Amino acid sequence: MDATTLIMLLVILTLLGIPVIIYSLSIRDAQRIGRFLRRVACFGMVGIFGFIGVLMVLSAASRGSLLQAATLAALWAVPPLCVTAWSRHGGSGLESTLWAMTGLVCATSVIAATSAGLWWDFANDTGPYFQSAVPMTGVCLAIWALREPVRGGIAMIVLGLAPVLILSLAPGSAGASMAASLGPVAAFALAGAACLVGSRLAHTHQRPTTALPMH
């Protein structure tokens, strides 16, 4: 993991950690802290990576690649909006679809690792579509994790670790470049862990205080 990616992950962790720490200092209820931690983790991932998506679209548009910009905009916007609508209308079949997307990302990472040079050249010539598809999938998982923090958290951990680790094993500089370009998605692993911790805290039961005997 290069220094730029590490700094970016530290910034993301700081942005997510500060409001949780402030809330924890003002609220002493573990259940409320757990629910707040889950919301911060999920909404934080949606907001941060949504902003990164906007920057990628604007960068493509500024270079005059309007078709690339439109394709990236659709890639970043359509699936999360569909997941949001699907989730609000019951979410039947949503979990299997999102796990299939996660598995597809991992399988594609294996293919990319075996031919990293070709994938890197494709991204430079055509557009960073794979580098956008991976965090976009993470955004979809974060939206789902608002309703299913345990399974959604586990899925985010898988997405945050597997593609980067797989590509880091690819030989040559192209594999390292691909892994570095996906380095920020490791933040989804942190968010997934936060969802699991938050879910655990949200389901803790406060022990009733024992009344002092009256004299």
Side-chain angles (χ1 to χ4, degrees):
M1 185 177 295
D2 60 6
T4 302
T5 300
L6 184 59
I7 291 173
M8 189 173 186
L9 290 176
L10 289 175
V11 170
I12 292 174
L13 183 61
T14 302
L15 291 175
L16 299 181
I18 288 177
V20 174
I21 293 173
I22 294 174
Y23 189 81
S24 300
L25 292 175
S26 59
I27 302 295
R28 298 295 182 177
D29 188 330
Q31 293 178 336
R32 293 171 65 183
I33 292 173
R35 290 192 292 267
F36 184 75
L37 176 60
R38 280 163 32 193
R39 294 191 186 100
V40 169
C42 294
F43 283 118
M45 291 297 97
V46 174
I48 291 171
F49 282 91
F51 178 70
I52 291 174
V54 170
L55 293 180
M56 294 179 72
V57 172
L58 293 178
S59 176
S62 66
R63 297 193 305 269
S65 305
L66 298 182
L67 178 60
Q68 182 185 125
T71 304
L72 288 173
L75 181 62
W76 276 99
V78 173
L81 290 176
C82 289
V83 169
T84 301
W86 198 345
S87 180
R88 290 181 176 178
H89 289 82
S92 177
L94 177 59
E95 179 175 354
S96 58
T97 300
L98 290 176
W99 274 113
M101 290 173 60
T102 304
L104 181 61
V105 166
C106 294
T108 306
S109 299
V110 173
I111 298 172
T114 59
S115 54
L118 295 176
W119 282 76
W120 188 246
D121 292 339
F122 177 82
N124 289 330
D125 296 338
T126 309
Y129 299 119
F130 180 63
Q131 287 87 340
S132 296
V134 177
M136 177 276 299
T137 303
V139 170
C140 293
L141 294 176
I143 295 171
W144 173 48
L146 288 168
R147 291 187 52 171
E148 298 290 344
V150 175
R151 296 194 294 274
I154 293 172
M156 281 198 287
I157 292 173
V158 172
L159 184 86
L161 295 179
V164 178
L165 291 177
I166 291 170
L167 286 167
S168 65
L169 298 176
S173 60
S177 298
M178 288 282 289
S181 67
L182 289 179
V185 302
F188 285 105
L190 299 176
C195 283
L196 297 181
V197 173
S199 179
R200 178 67 177 174
L201 290 174
H203 288 86
T204 57
H205 297 284
Q206 300 288 343
R207 293 182 179 179
T209 56
T210 303
L212 295 175
M214 299 295 292
H215 295 286

